[in-house]
Amino acid sequence: MRRVTKKVESHQHLSTKTFNVAVVGLSGSEKEKGCKGVGKSCLCNRFVRPFAGDYHKEHISVLSQTDFSGQVVNNDHWLYWGEVTKLVNEGTEVTFSVIEQTEFIDDSCFQPFKTGKTEPYYKRCAATRLCSTDKLMYICKNQLGIEKEYEQKYLNDGRFLVDAFVCVFDVSEVQGRSLDKAIEYTGLILNNLIKTKKPVVLVTTKHDEANEFYLREAEKLVNRKEFRGIVPIIETSAHNNINVDNAFITCFQLLDRNNDQLVTEKTQGTQPLE
Ligand code: GTP
Ligand code: MG
């Protein structure tokens, strides 16, 4: 993969903050999520690697045992998507590091792989300390099995400390998924996320195919008394690259407002060319 970088002249001496975000949302087998996912992977892909040639519409979900235990998945139900640096406001660059919490399905029995832990997804996805030694950055579906042909980047120290959560809610109609159950499940996820006291944003996905009624239900969800004024809602389309950066930047701004000291400082002066 060819990567072109250039110096950001006016900002190259400014400090850059690293902000670790976990992207979560309804996950599981077809019984839970219907015939397709809510859009977590596409959102991560568009944010971390926004260029048209690097954007993939289909990502890993149902896997063989070999792929589940390979270095990218590494026997975890989460993916490390890598880092991207964005200018969040005049003079402030932030490096976002992104992981996705999902449920990988075994292609032999169509049930989630068993990893020893028994916690349901809506609790597990609120974890703030993740650990996975020698975990490789995920890029795309085709990477599995031929990892050496792609950029090989390992999760730093094999550790990821979550600073904030992006919770995804799909506003398109998906065969086999009921709106009521999706709302109920997302409510459970949000309840667990806010207990961590980390910033949480509800990101509605697939606005290029939005059903207005689904969007109204999502708005009602964040207006419940337990989430009102705490969980902002951001409308996105990963396919059309609408508002994706804004979703993550809003999340950063919540943290910046609430708790300045959590982010780590480092200096970095490059960014991808448009
Ligand atoms: P799991 O990790 O398997 O739970 O799924 P996910 O939540 O990561 O969903 P994923 O990003 O893999 O997307 C699931 C399906 O929705 C795919 O067919 C995507 O192409 C589609 N999809 C994702 N984002 C968009 C979008 O912005 N617009 C439209 N129309 N479809 C989308
Ligand atoms: Mg996914």
Side-chain angles (χ1 to χ4, degrees):
M1 267 198 334
R2 202 172 72 91
R3 271 274 180 280
V4 186
T5 58
K6 71 166 183 181
K7 290 273 179 205
V8 184
E9 269 114 37
S10 55
H11 300 290
Q12 63 180 310
H13 299 303
L14 295 178
S15 63
T16 306
K17 297 169 173 181
T18 300
F19 184 57
N20 295 337
V21 182
V23 174
V24 310
L26 177 62
S27 299
S29 64
E30 269 202 47
K31 203 170 122 250
E32 283 84 31
K33 70 182 181 195
C35 70
K36 54 175 139 168
V38 293
K40 300 179 296 297
S41 295
C42 287
L43 188 81
C44 295
N45 186 169
R46 188 59 95 182
F47 181 61
V48 174
R49 286 178 275 285
F51 315 100
D54 294 337
Y55 183 69
H56 304 273
K57 288 188 169 178
E58 298 307 325
H59 289 282
I60 54 172
S61 173
V62 180
L63 298 176
S64 65
Q65 179 62 58
T66 314
D67 285 340
F68 186 69
S69 50
Q71 271 196 303
V72 170
V73 181
N74 220 21
N75 294 302
D76 304 312
H77 281 289
W78 54 277
L79 288 173
Y80 165 51
W81 278 90
E83 281 79 37
V84 65
T85 300
K86 307 269 175 178
L87 194 60
V88 299
N89 54 43
E90 194 68 27
T92 310
E93 273 187 341
V94 173
T95 297
F96 291 82
S97 188
V98 178
I99 64 112
E100 172 190 349
Q101 287 281 8
T102 185
E103 288 263 277
F104 290 111
I105 306 299
D106 186 334
D107 70 359
S108 64
C109 61
F110 293 95
Q111 292 302 314
F113 282 97
K114 296 215 162 49
T115 55
K117 290 184 189 144
T118 49
E119 267 193 325
Y121 177 86
Y122 63 84
K123 282 193 181 157
R124 174 176 68 73
C125 72
T128 54
R129 289 168 179 270
L130 303 172
C131 200
S132 188
T133 310
D134 296 332
K135 189 173 180 75
L136 209 50
M137 177 175 78
Y138 170 73
I139 298 167
C140 64
K141 231 174 162 166
N142 292 344
Q143 176 197 10
L144 301 198
I146 50 167
E147 288 81 357
K148 289 199 168 58
E149 293 181 27
Y150 289 80
E151 182 188 348
Q152 291 188 281
K153 183 172 187 188
Y154 290 91
L155 178 66
N156 194 19
D157 293 338
R159 286 178 345 131
F160 191 90
L161 303 179
V162 176
D163 291 321
F165 294 94
V166 161
C167 179
V168 162
F169 183 81
D170 185 354
V171 292
S172 76
E173 283 174 62
V174 169
Q175 204 189 341
R177 186 195 306 152
S178 96
L179 174 62
D180 289 352
K181 281 197 177 145
I183 289 284
E184 188 190 333
Y185 201 88
T186 308
L188 284 175
I189 293 176
L190 287 176
N191 265 317
N192 281 283
L193 299 183
I194 61 169
K195 280 185 203 156
T196 67
K197 308 258 191 277
K198 308 275 184 196
V200 180
V201 170
L202 186 75
V203 172
T204 49
T205 52
K206 311 191 194 176
H207 274 265
D208 51 292
E209 287 184 358
N211 175 319
E212 285 301 312
F213 182 71
Y214 284 38
L215 177 58
R216 297 286 94 78
E217 291 300 305
E219 288 168 345
K220 276 194 221 156
L221 175 62
V222 292
N223 275 318
R224 285 186 193 168
K225 65 174 184 324
E226 61 270 37
F227 308 131
R228 197 179 309 136
I230 301 176
V231 181
I233 186 166
I234 312 278
E235 303 176 6
T236 67
S237 164
H239 279 11
N240 292 353
N241 201 1
I242 310 280
N243 239 358
V244 173
D245 282 7
N246 191 24
F248 286 84
I249 289 171
T250 301
C251 209
F252 170 76
Q253 285 165 338
L254 287 177
L255 178 86
D256 217 23
R257 219 173 42 210
N258 296 351
N259 191 349
D260 264 342
Q261 89 258 352
L262 255 177
V263 284
T264 45
E265 304 258 323
K266 72 177 188 200
T267 306
Q268 186 170 332
T270 59
Q271 75 169 27
L273 274 179
E274 286 293 336

